[in-house]
Amino acid sequence: MILLTVLFLIKLNNRQKTTYDINTKQIKGTVVDCQIKKEKTNITVKAKEKILVRYNKKYKCNLGDIIKAKGKIEVPENNRIFYQFNYKKYLLSKNIKLIFKASKIKTIK
């Protein structure tokens, strides 16, 4: 029982580590999901790890596109109201640890 608890805690701790530095200003990766809503675009990109790219304009992308985005990295916040929806845990359930707020996106291929 103790071994299971220790393994669970190790796995939980490893899930939140990221390979990106918080000062990263540019990412490049393959589009695995793209959602356009009104004037905003959310793109899930697989680079070193999965990242949610948010862009405040419409951007047409296709699955498998390789994009380069410039902007800044943000760590998702925990829920602010106790026992309410926790967006950070939701993203972690999809194996997304970071949000990249893009100011410019370019399709490479």
Side-chain angles (χ1 to χ4, degrees), residues 31-47:
V31 175
V32 294
D33 187 28
C34 184
Q35 298 176 355
I36 302 170
K37 295 180 182 176
K38 295 185 182 179
E39 294 297 319
K40 296 182 180 185
T41 307
N42 287 334
I43 306 168
T44 305
V45 174
K46 178 71 173 155

Side-chain angles (χ1 to χ4, degrees), residues 29-87:
T30 305
V31 175
V32 294
D33 187 28
C34 184
Q35 298 176 355
I36 302 170
K37 295 180 182 176
K38 295 185 182 179
E39 294 297 319
K40 296 182 180 185
T41 307
N42 287 334
I43 306 168
T44 305
V45 174
K46 178 71 173 155
K48 296 176 189 175
E49 59 191 59
K50 276 177 139 180
I51 296 178
L52 177 63
V53 177
R54 289 194 172 158
Y55 190 53
N56 285 331
K57 298 178 184 175
K58 284 187 178 181
Y59 185 79
K60 183 162 173 29
C61 55
N62 298 305
L63 298 180
D65 284 352
I66 297 175
I67 64 166
K68 184 187 286 186
K70 292 183 179 181
K72 65 179 186 172
I73 285 183
E74 292 183 356
V75 177
E77 293 182 1
N78 288 315
N79 58 331
R80 296 179 190 162
I81 302 170
F82 201 57
Y83 290 125
Q84 295 296 320
F85 179 73
N86 189 323
Y87 189 59

